[in-house]
Amino acid sequence: MFTLPELPFAPESLEPHIDTTTMEIHHGKHHATYVKNLNDALPDKSEVDLANILQNNPEPKVRNNGGGHWNHSFFWPLLSPTSTSPSEALTTALNSSFDSLDTFKEKFTAAALGRFGSGWVWLVKDGAGLAIMDTPNQDNPLMVGKTAILGLDVWEHAYYLKYQNRRADYIAAFWNVVNWAKVSELLVS
Ligand code: MN
């Protein structure tokens, strides 16, 4: 059975970029519900390897709620109230695949804006380099055998209370709270 991980920061600590109420509801209600529904839907309650479940063509309720649990558990540590910078290795990798950090941010932002409806945008390992991909619903790179090192939730529940229909403003705010130290760690793990 799966459990809701604690947020690695106080829900109010990402203000003003991501508001307290959104964080509380996003973690305490949305993520918690994915965990509950995943546990309810699991055919084998002793299974503990979520990646293994997601990579073996689970039925839709397990795929959607298991994806929801995996994605949000991955997402929270990628946010930080403290300003961080990409490591030298990450900077080199981003420059090599996208020319610069700014160009990477532009392309990631474009993918996040271009994802119609609910879903996620990701930075993934791609051969020797890095690539941007986006997925619908609670799908993720793991489901297609790829390794993510950054993700952004673009479901409306992630931003609607503060930004309403302005997804672009939410994405711009996201860049202020990215935990580059965590992304750098995932690059080499
Ligand atoms: Mn979400």
Side-chain angles (χ1 to χ4, degrees):
M1 301 287 272
F2 294 93
T3 55
L4 180 68
E6 285 196 26
L7 277 179
F9 46 80
E12 66 276 15
S13 63
L14 303 181
E15 292 271 9
H17 310 295
I18 301 177
D19 63 285
T20 308
T21 307
T22 294
M23 279 309 314
E24 286 171 349
I25 295 173
H26 199 175
H27 174 258
K29 303 291 182 190
H30 290 278
H31 188 175
T33 301
Y34 293 125
V35 173
K36 181 188 182 300
N37 290 343
L38 169 63
N39 286 331
D40 288 349
L42 269 185
D44 174 5
K45 310 287 184 200
S46 68
E47 178 66 77
V48 292
D49 186 343
L50 185 53
N52 183 53
I53 293 171
L54 295 177
Q55 288 177 314
N56 284 283
N57 196 29
E59 55 103 352
K61 199 173 174 195
V62 172
R63 180 187 181 104
N64 291 333
N65 291 288
H69 177 39
W70 193 94
N71 294 350
H72 290 85
S73 301
F74 179 74
F75 184 46
W76 308 132
L78 290 165
L79 304 174
S80 172
T82 317
S83 178
T84 57
S85 301
S87 67
E88 217 172 289
L90 179 58
T91 300
T92 301
L94 289 170
N95 288 346
S96 160
S97 294
F98 305 103
D99 293 330
S100 70
L101 176 61
D102 283 346
T103 309
F104 159 66
K105 286 183 181 177
E106 280 169 27
K107 289 184 171 170
F108 190 94
T109 297
L113 285 170
R115 162 53 40 205
F116 184 79
S118 296
W120 291 73
V121 58
W122 310 92
L123 176 63
V124 299
K125 293 183 185 177
D126 184 40
L130 298 171
I132 293 165
M133 65 180 284
D134 59 281
T135 54
N137 305 313
Q138 294 296 356
D139 287 1
N140 64 40
L142 197 61
M143 294 172 182
V144 289
K146 294 202 180 280
T147 302
I149 65 169
L150 176 66
L152 175 61
D153 188 345
V154 294
W155 281 58
E156 283 188 343
H157 69 222
Y159 63 87
Y160 202 84
L161 291 179
K162 183 177 173 78
Y163 296 102
Q164 292 84 48
N165 61 321
R166 302 186 308 278
R167 186 186 286 186
D169 291 357
Y170 161 67
I171 300 163
F174 164 71
W175 295 120
N176 294 302
V177 294
V178 172
N179 185 351
W180 290 110
K182 182 66 183 177
V183 184
S184 301
E185 185 189 309
L186 289 169
L187 176 71
V188 295
S189 66

